[in-house]
Structures are given as structure tokens and as C-alpha cells.
Amino acid sequence: MVDKDAYVPERNPEEVEGLSAQSFFLRALCNGHLIHPSVPRHGLQAIADIGTGTDAWIEELQLEFMATHLGHNVQFTGFDVSGTPFPRQQRPGQTFVVHDLAQPFPDEYHEKFDLVHLRFLSYGVEPHQLEDLVDFVSEILRPGGYLQWQEVDAIDAWTIPETSTAKQIIYWLVKERLARGLSPNITTPIVKALQSREILVEDGKINPMCWTNDLLRIYHLETLSTYNHPSAEVKSMKYEWTINVLIPLLQVCATSRSTKAKEPRLPWHLAEGLHQEVAEINQLVEKMKKGQDPEISEFEVLVTRIVARKAKIFPKDGPWLSGWHGTEAGQE
């Protein structure tokens, strides 16, 4: 699952800066919403960010909350497999934890969070591992809590008109994903994993979320596109975001091939072929670094956003209807 050898760029200062720039762009793409409007903010007291990286999402959300009466008592916790990009100085209310998503979360975090946010884990999680990941994340959600997940599939990027450079880029990204056992299309397996998890509903109790034993119910599923997006910010930042995403990923492709070519028992003709691939990828990267390449500036991309809610079990003779919808007396 997610580990230090996953298909993600090295966390150097340039890459950290790029992650922050990506966060601003994605917020614009989501029409300014860090949290989807289907998630009620008034009940959020503890929020987790999985794969937090530079903590850009937490930082933006906390500042937004602090500008209202909502944010003064909210606790934010960021989890990441590497602590390298964590901020050296943490704001009050922020906690950062090094955690490998291949492992369950410590008991202290079980049923602690009202909202769990995940973003761009498809470069480190194989499709067959998604059910375990969903189980681990569900454990730290309180009953009735919300999960928000954003992903970009490698196959959901294109240019109009189609260009040779774009085809080369997608070819290498998809090939690297497949070589690592990753899927070029992770969104559909995520949805299936979310819908497959179950919860025990004992006799005399009820799951008013869906009247079944489903653990999670998908509240919202949408695909956001840069193509014809009404935001001027999206249009102005699209090229920079594309470069910040694609160059590090292509560099990972080159590095993995270079490492493979050095294996002592690898036949020379295979090593030669890998060296040739490295040269092709590096030429592509240098072309991208030179500036506003018209074949790259026209890149479009789709981002999928999923919102799900965890089941909350009630006694059949209790106030399950008002309790589930958060309208029970004294309940936020």
C-alpha cells in the first residue's frame, strides 16, 4: 500500500512548493469549496487529512474556519507516510502524524473524526488494497461522520486538439502505473470499495441511512473538468498546475527505469532499451521546462470528488429519524 517507495515524487523543496500550488488550483476547480457543500460544517469538531503532504489543505481550511465562529475549537490532524513536508511550526489546533496507510490507525484515533479528507492516493494504492484502506479510514470516522475523497486518473487528461507530446506523456504515466501494479483508472474501484463495506445491525436496531447493512452511503459523486470551466483562476493556473504535476511524475518514471537498468543480472539489450526510454523521458521533461509549450498548455484534466457518510445505528424505538438527520433536540 502507501509507502516510501510508492509512485510519488521525492519530497524536495521544489516538490513541496508544487504541492501547495496544486492545492490552490484544486480549490478554484472546486468552485472555491475545500469541503463539499453537502457536508454540514456546524457539526465538524475534529477533521483528518490523509496524505496531508505540506498540510496546504489543513492550513487553508483552518484559516477559513477561523474567519467564522466555526473554527476556534476544531482540531485538525494530518497523516502522511513521510514527515518531511510537515510544517516546522504548527498552528494551535494542528497535529501531524507519520502513519503508513498499510496499517490500521492507532486506537486513539478510532471514531474520533467528523470528517476525513483524502486526496490523490491513487499513485500509491493498488486497487485490490482499497477495501483495507476504506476499512481503516472508516474506523477513525465517528458514526454519522463524512468522508471526502478526490482523485485524478491518469487516463483523464487530454489535449484539444490531440498532440504528440500529450500522447507521449500519458503513455509514460500509464505505463509506469501498470508496472507498479497501479490502475490508470482508480475512481471506479474506489466507488466499489466504498459500497462494499458492511456494518452489523443487531436485532432491535436500525440503520436509517439506507435501511441495509451498508457501512457507507455515497452522498455525492461528481467529476470536475478544466475544460470550459467558468473560473478565470482555473484558466490562469492550469498550465502551471499541469507542469507541477507532470514533471515530477515523469521524473519518477525515468528514475525507476534507470534503477532497473543497473540490475547486474539484467540482459544488456533490456538495459539498453531502458536507457533509451530514460533518454526519451528526460527529453520530454526538458521540453516542458523550457516554457509555455503550446502542446502542453492545452492540457485538460478531470478531477473526481466523492462524498460518503458513515452509518449510525439507532434503537428501533428511539428517535432514529431526527437523530440521523441531526435534528434531534440538543444535537448539532
Side-chain angles (χ1 to χ4, degrees):
M1 195 174 287
V2 179
D3 57 34
K4 291 185 175 68
D5 296 323
Y7 178 26
V8 292
E10 183 182 354
R11 297 291 175 81
N12 53 49
E14 292 78 11
E15 198 267 336
V16 167
E17 182 180 352
L19 286 174
S20 298
Q22 290 177 39
S23 183
F24 289 118
F25 174 81
L26 289 168
R27 180 172 186 172
L29 185 64
C30 294
N31 301 310
H33 298 298
L34 292 169
I35 299 176
H36 191 269
S38 64
V39 179
R41 296 188 174 209
H42 61 268
L44 302 179
Q45 296 298 314
I47 298 174
D49 186 27
I50 310 299
T52 193
T54 63
D55 97 306
W57 186 83
I58 285 180
E59 184 75 10
E60 288 184 70
L61 185 60
Q62 186 178 34
L63 290 174
E64 183 177 298
F65 272 39
M66 291 297 290
T68 71
H69 68 284
L70 297 173
H72 295 284
N73 297 317
V74 179
Q75 297 296 311
F76 298 86
T77 304
F79 296 94
D80 201 285
V81 69
S82 169
T84 303
F86 289 166
R88 294 182 179 179
Q89 294 184 341
Q90 300 175 13
R91 293 176 180 270
Q94 293 182 352
T95 303
F96 297 96
V97 180
V98 175
H99 178 74
D100 181 358
L101 289 182
Q103 305 298 324
F105 289 87
D107 291 345
E108 63 188 282
Y109 299 111
H110 284 195
E111 296 192 356
K112 177 177 179 178
F113 299 104
D114 305 298
L115 170 65
V116 175
H117 172 259
L118 306 94
R119 186 161 69 185
F120 302 158
L121 298 181
S122 61
Y123 288 92
V125 179
E126 298 176 28
H128 68 89
Q129 298 167 326
L130 283 170
E131 290 186 357
D132 283 343
L133 176 57
V134 170
D135 285 340
F136 298 156
V137 171
S138 297
E139 286 180 340
I140 66 174
L141 265 178
R142 68 167 178 81
Y146 290 84
L147 179 152
Q148 178 175 288
W149 197 329
Q150 289 176 298
E151 287 293 346
V152 176
D153 284 324
I155 58 176
D156 284 337
W158 74 100
T159 58
I160 303 175
E162 184 175 304
T163 67
S164 59
T165 300
K167 290 169 67 175
Q168 283 183 288
I169 291 171
I170 301 304
Y171 170 80
W172 290 120
L173 296 186
V174 169
K175 189 172 182 178
E176 184 67 19
R177 278 209 186 191
L178 293 174
R180 292 173 178 263
L182 305 174
S183 172
N185 169 28
I186 196 68
T187 301
T188 299
I190 289 174
V191 172
K192 290 181 178 179
L194 292 172
Q195 293 177 323
S196 71
R197 315 324 293 151
E198 297 183 348
I199 188 172
L200 175 65
V201 182
E202 299 175 346
D203 290 341
K205 296 187 177 181
I206 190 171
N207 177 8
M209 177 179 73
C210 54
W211 293 80
T212 67
N213 59 349
D214 291 345
L215 176 63
L216 296 160
R217 173 183 170 185
I218 295 179
Y219 262 40
H220 192 85
L221 174 62
E222 67 177 340
T223 301
L224 302 161
S225 175
T226 58
Y227 184 66
N228 286 338
H229 195 283
S231 169
E233 287 183 300
V234 170
K235 295 177 182 177
S236 64
M237 292 189 293
K238 184 177 67 173
Y239 178 77
E240 181 182 0
W241 182 81
T242 302
I243 294 298
N244 283 333
V245 171
L246 295 180
I247 287 181
L249 291 177
L250 288 171
Q251 289 172 331
V252 170
C253 295
T255 300
S256 66
R257 283 158 175 74
S258 180
T259 301
K260 179 71 175 178
K262 295 177 183 177
E263 293 182 1
R265 295 186 178 181
L266 189 70
W268 72 267
H269 64 283
L270 295 180
E272 186 65 24
L274 289 170
H275 286 305
Q276 183 176 348
E277 290 185 353
V278 170
E280 292 178 12
I281 296 171
N282 286 336
Q283 287 177 2
L284 188 58
V285 168
E286 290 305 312
K287 180 180 180 181
M288 297 172 68
K289 286 181 176 180
K290 287 181 180 179
Q292 191 83 8
D293 188 322
E295 291 198 357
I296 299 169
S297 61
E298 298 305 318
F299 249 106
E300 306 292 349
V301 68
L302 300 177
V303 175
T304 299
R305 181 162 58 169
I306 305 166
V307 177
R309 192 177 183 191
K310 183 178 178 180
K312 187 175 183 179
I313 307 302
F314 293 84
K316 284 186 178 179
D317 57 358
W320 52 263
L321 184 59
S322 58
W324 169 248
H325 290 286
T327 57
E328 184 180 358
Q331 182 175 343
E332 290 288 346

